[in-house]
Every structure is written in structure tokens, then in C-alpha cells.
Amino acid sequence: MKIATWNVNSIRTRLSYVKMFLVDNGIDVLSLQEIKTEEKNFPFEEFSNLNYFAYVFGQKAYNGVALISKSPFKEVKKNILNDGIARTIEGQIDDLTILNVYFPHGGNLGSEQFFYKLEFYKKVKNYILKNDLINKNFILLGDFNIAREDIDVWDKDLLDGTIGFMKEERDALNDLISIGLIDAFRYFHGDVVAFTWWDYTGGSFKRNYGMRIDCIYVSKSLVGRLKNCYIEKSLRALDKPSDHVPVVLELI
DNA sequence: ATGGTGGAGCGTCCA
């Protein structure tokens, strides 16, 4: 089973690439962030034509998450933090609980958005604990907007203290995963420097000035089923790409 | 300090 996550930065602009990615990689479940559209404008038909189901929590212009899957989800919960912001969608499929989160960007240190981001991390952690998801076959994936380790950024000294790599943020992410979540990419590639996001500006992709901020975390019960985890970097080199690329998890 | 690029959707805001 192949489960992927991708911040597409507008589903309508990236639709052809998303369809290509699903087919080329034989993806079973795709978790999308920043679809940037309301549900009423989501291209449901394009996915049903490919024999995929789509579950959408959308919002006008900003945010927006979705789950795309070959077989139907048994249950889907949107808005799990009850904040009305289209950043969370969770579903049950087979024996898995999959929680797709678009974590806040965070603005700058000390800004209102920065504290919102740290609070958001606590709320997701509490939600997982409250619902005992950590003791289920649980997958937390999405755009975390935080690089956790030094090897998750292109220059740890230059980026020290900047958004996405501040101590307070890394502490928040470490605190979240301390409840028993395993970084699937790191499980297979312990010391590999690899990124999932490159800024649009300044030729960042060509220079490989990136960060690994899109991740797939699994609960301990799934460790024995991990088969592979990879980053589909080639999609960043296409014309009019998203600034993020997909991460793919293969489960036995 | 600014601007560098991109998306939504027509004002700017957000990343």
C-alpha cells in the first residue's frame, strides 16, 4: 500500500501533475495540503474519472486539505480541532487511521502567527492523545512547516533562528512526536540530507537550498510494516511546480 | 531594509 503527502499550492493549478503523480506512482492514498479552494470548486470529477475517491475540507484562497484514495474511506472527520480552519482531515481506511495536517507557517518570531503555530502543535498532540490514536495503526502526515534536525535544512547556521527552524518550533515538533511517532523517511534514510521544499525565489531549487518539512510519521504498531519511504524530487523541476514535492510511504 | 517568486482573485494577503 502506497500512502503519500503533498502540499500542492493550489489543486486547480497543479491538477495535471497530481493526476500524473497518482498514476505513475500507483498511489493508494494521497493526502493534499494547500488546495486553496472551497469544496464546491474542487475538481471531484477529474479524480473519479481516474477511479479515485476524494474527501475535501476546503476554504477560499487559503489552506485547504484533502484525502484522495483508490478505495473509499470508512469514516472521514474534518475540522478535528474545531477551529473552522481548513487544516485538518482524518480518515479510516483498512485498519489505518490517517490524519492529514497542514500546520501553520508561523510568520516571524514573536508574531501572532508564531504563537498560533506553537499552540496548534499542542492541540494536535492533545487530540492524538485524547483519542488514543498513538495505540492504533496511526499515520500523521502533511506539511509540518518545521525542519526538525540539522540535516533537514540546507544550511543550519544560516537558517538558525529563522521561521521553520527555530528552537521553539523544533521543540514543539519533538514534543509532538515524543508521544510515540516514528519519522518514516528517517527510518530508512537515517543520515541522508534530503528536502521536500525549496523557495520559489532566488533559484533555491537549482542551488538545492531546501528544507525537509513534509513528513510521514507512524505509530509503533506500524513499524513492522514499513517497506520504503521516498521523496519524489523530480516534480519540483517541472514547469510551474508546487514549491513542495510529495513524500511516499510504502506499507506491507 | 528590500526584494526576490507564486497563488487566489481583484484588495492585498499569505507563503
Side-chain angles (χ1 to χ4, degrees):
Chain A
M1 185 178 194
K2 280 187 164 182
I3 298 165
T5 182
W6 193 5
N7 178 322
V8 286
N9 188 15
S10 168
I11 185 59
R12 286 176 290 175
T13 298
R14 231 64 67 195
L15 184 59
S16 63
Y17 291 163
V18 172
K19 288 162 65 176
M20 182 176 78
F21 169 69
L22 285 171
V23 173
D24 288 356
N25 286 270
I27 299 297
D28 295 288
V29 176
L30 173 60
S31 144
L32 295 171
Q33 303 87 38
E34 279 207 275
I35 62 171
K36 288 187 168 177
T37 184
E38 293 172 285
E39 190 171 348
K40 66 178 181 187
N41 293 322
F42 188 89
F44 285 99
E45 223 181 278
E46 301 271 353
F47 289 101
S48 60
N49 288 343
L50 278 182
N51 293 315
Y52 280 90
F53 297 87
Y55 306 87
V56 177
F57 183 22
Q59 185 178 322
K60 195 173 186 174
Y62 306 114
N63 309 319
V65 286
L67 291 168
I68 311 291
S69 65
K70 264 186 190 168
S71 42
F73 273 82
K74 277 172 264 179
E75 195 193 335
V76 172
K77 280 197 237 175
K78 304 171 187 182
N79 193 24
I80 59 144
L81 299 182
N82 294 313
D83 55 4
I85 310 294
R87 291 184 179 276
T88 55
I89 185 168
E90 176 190 314
Q92 310 279 337
I93 191 162
D94 297 337
D95 60 347
L96 305 172
T97 300
I98 299 178
L99 174 54
N100 170 13
V101 179
Y102 173 45
F103 286 88
H105 175 270
N108 297 303
L109 176 63
S111 66
E112 203 175 304
Q113 301 101 297
F114 185 73
F115 293 112
Y116 170 63
K117 181 179 194 173
L118 298 182
E119 278 304 303
F120 197 97
Y121 262 85
K122 281 187 201 163
K123 285 179 186 169
V124 170
K125 178 191 171 188
N126 291 338
Y127 172 84
I128 293 168
L129 291 174
K130 192 178 156 196
N131 292 276
D132 199 33
L133 298 177
I134 210 67
N135 291 312
K136 297 181 173 151
N137 294 326
F138 174 58
I139 299 176
L140 171 66
L141 76 179
D143 176 359
F144 289 77
N145 262 316
I146 296 175
R148 194 165 52 81
E149 300 181 287
D150 288 350
I151 53 172
D152 292 330
V153 294
W154 65 276
D155 188 327
K156 68 180 173 66
D157 298 317
L158 201 65
L159 293 178
D160 184 32
T162 64
I163 198 69
F165 197 56
M166 285 191 273
K167 185 176 185 306
E168 294 90 336
E169 297 177 278
R170 298 164 77 184
D171 287 349
L173 177 51
N174 277 313
D175 184 54
L176 167 59
I177 70 172
S178 71
I179 61 178
L181 291 167
I182 293 102
D183 183 333
F185 183 80
R186 281 283 164 246
Y187 182 85
F188 290 101
H189 315 287
D191 52 6
V192 172
V193 175
F195 309 132
T196 64
W197 173 85
W198 298 261
D199 202 299
Y200 282 122
T201 64
S204 295
F205 182 64
K206 272 189 183 151
R207 297 180 158 96
N208 201 27
Y209 292 175
M211 297 170 82
R212 191 176 72 93
I213 56 177
D214 302 271
C215 293
I216 302 178
Y217 287 94
V218 303
S219 61
K220 285 175 183 162
S221 62
L222 289 174
V223 170
R225 285 163 64 179
L226 296 174
K227 189 179 171 194
N228 191 18
C229 186
Y230 61 92
I231 295 167
E232 193 49 68
K233 187 179 175 180
S234 63
L235 291 167
R236 187 63 176 79
L238 299 173
D239 197 38
K240 288 262 169 196
S242 169
D243 43 353
H244 299 249
V245 293
V247 182
V248 182
L249 170 69
E250 290 185 66
L251 281 184
I252 294 164

